[in-house]
Amino acid sequence: MDKTRFEYLDHLTEEIPIIFHFNTIKKRSFVFPHWHPNVEILFTTSGEGTCMIGSETCEMRPGNLVIVNSNFPHTIRSDDEFVKYDCLIVDTEFCTQNGLPTEKLRFEPLVTSEKAVALYQDIVREIASDSLFHQAGIRVATLNLMLYLSRNHLDDANQGQIRPSADNENIKLAIGYIKSHIDQKLTLDEIASEVGLSKYYFLREFKNATTMTPVEYINSVRCENAKKLLLKKKYPIHEIAQKCGFTNDSYFSKVFRHHTGLLPSEFVKGQDIAIPGQY
């Protein structure tokens, strides 16, 4: 099937209760830890990667479905030169209205069933369809997949843990605090105190939940913010460093190069010669 025909569904509506898009994670890059009430289903198309869901590690391999349960923090990184995958996010309210309370269910994180993959591909075909019944087809196909997963792929061993653990909730609080203070000086003692944990316990649990130390995460967020400002070409590099919370230009350049493989000035030049449509 020609994926260039696919529609990006980037918001939920009553008619189409899913979000659908493609993503590519290159080496040295990752999806920041985040969470949401809707179940997220990842289908790897090429390359290899890792999805951390809470403290659990799931391998992303072509043809596998990775299921991220409601409200669980998760992050994705490439184990290869890149990993390409489809991302399907299913509206919780749509599922609940149809008798599938996904917020109260815990699915197996890794599903390799041929039947599940075939039902997922039915959704993809409906998304690509331009038929008169396009919207109805998406709704029916989505419900078929979620019903099959609910009947056959619940994580029975952990079904009692409907919500993320208290530790994961604390990490979610820490991530929120970091993001809201990312342009300021941040210390580990300060963040740990904010979420009510000892510093050393916080360090361990943060690494377990995100695969990164807090310092690595803070620097990564700052570098991603810096990339956006560099692309605008409105500010000198030293001002961007300050806006993103770096204490000096040399440290900014060192961290940015570690994060992207390029100095800030090289990153800007690279964007000038980027190939249109490359991703």
Side-chain angles (χ1 to χ4, degrees):
M1 186 178 297
D2 181 7
K3 287 200 170 189
T4 61
R5 294 182 60 241
F6 286 11
E7 180 179 355
Y8 278 79
L9 304 176
D10 58 4
H11 63 282
L12 298 166
T13 67
E14 187 175 345
E15 294 77 19
I16 302 181
I18 64 171
I19 293 172
F20 180 84
H21 57 84
F22 326 120
N23 208 351
T24 299
I25 305 297
K26 296 181 180 179
K27 216 167 193 179
R28 296 180 177 270
S29 191
F30 58 91
V31 173
F32 283 109
H34 64 288
W35 60 93
H36 37 70
N38 302 310
V39 171
E40 182 172 333
I41 301 174
L42 310 174
F43 180 75
T44 306
T45 56
S46 61
E48 297 184 350
T50 300
C51 182
M52 281 291 299
I53 307 171
S55 58
E56 191 163 9
T57 302
C58 266
E59 293 183 348
M60 297 174 65
R61 302 293 182 264
N64 288 353
L65 294 173
V66 172
I67 315 295
V68 180
N69 285 291
S70 172
N71 289 307
F72 274 74
H74 52 284
T75 183
I76 302 165
R77 64 172 63 244
S78 176
D79 297 335
D80 211 335
E81 287 302 315
F82 63 84
V83 57
K84 293 186 178 183
Y85 62 94
D86 300 343
C87 176
L88 173 70
I89 298 175
V90 183
D91 183 35
T92 295
E93 186 176 350
F94 168 75
C95 291
T96 300
Q97 287 173 349
N98 285 280
L100 299 173
T102 51
E103 273 193 306
K104 298 179 181 179
L105 299 175
R106 184 164 179 181
F107 298 97
E108 295 173 354
L110 182 63
V111 175
T112 59
S113 156
E114 291 183 3
K115 176 67 173 177
V117 171
L119 289 171
Y120 166 81
Q121 295 289 6
D122 286 344
I123 299 173
V124 174
R125 277 188 285 272
E126 292 295 345
I127 292 170
S129 169
D130 56 1
S131 76
L132 181 63
F133 306 108
H134 170 70
Q135 294 178 357
I138 290 174
R139 293 171 67 87
V140 170
T142 300
L143 195 56
N144 282 340
L145 174 61
M146 298 310 297
L147 178 60
Y148 176 81
L149 293 175
S150 299
R151 282 177 168 167
N152 298 279
H153 292 282
L154 291 183
D155 187 357
D156 294 329
N158 293 298
Q159 204 54 227
Q161 188 188 343
I162 303 302
R163 309 289 293 184
S165 68
D167 289 337
N168 275 325
E169 291 294 341
N170 286 328
I171 298 309
K172 285 162 64 175
L173 289 173
I175 288 172
Y177 183 80
I178 289 170
K179 285 186 173 180
S180 62
H181 297 79
I182 197 64
D183 60 340
Q184 303 168 24
K185 182 179 179 181
L186 288 166
T187 67
L188 298 179
D189 287 316
E190 172 192 350
I191 302 168
S193 175
E194 187 67 25
V195 299
L197 298 175
S198 72
K199 181 171 76 172
Y200 296 105
Y201 187 80
F202 166 65
L203 285 170
R204 186 186 73 189
E205 292 307 309
F206 195 96
K207 181 70 178 288
N208 285 341
T210 66
T211 74
M212 290 179 281
T213 68
V215 171
E216 288 171 338
Y217 178 75
I218 290 167
N219 284 337
S220 294
V221 174
R222 286 175 171 164
C223 286
E224 288 301 310
N225 290 346
K227 284 162 67 175
K228 294 174 185 176
L229 291 175
L230 286 165
L231 291 175
K232 290 182 178 179
K233 300 182 180 179
K234 290 174 58 178
Y235 309 102
I237 288 176
H238 74 272
E239 188 173 343
I240 290 175
Q242 292 175 354
K243 285 180 178 292
C244 294
F246 289 101
T247 53
N248 58 66
D249 294 3
S250 61
Y251 183 62
F252 169 47
S253 294
K254 177 182 176 181
V255 172
F256 191 88
R257 186 171 189 173
H258 176 77
H259 180 71
T260 66
L262 299 169
L263 293 170
S265 57
E266 293 171 337
F267 175 80
V268 174
K269 290 178 182 177
Q271 299 308 308
D272 290 337
I273 59 173
I275 301 171
Q278 190 177 33
Y279 65 100

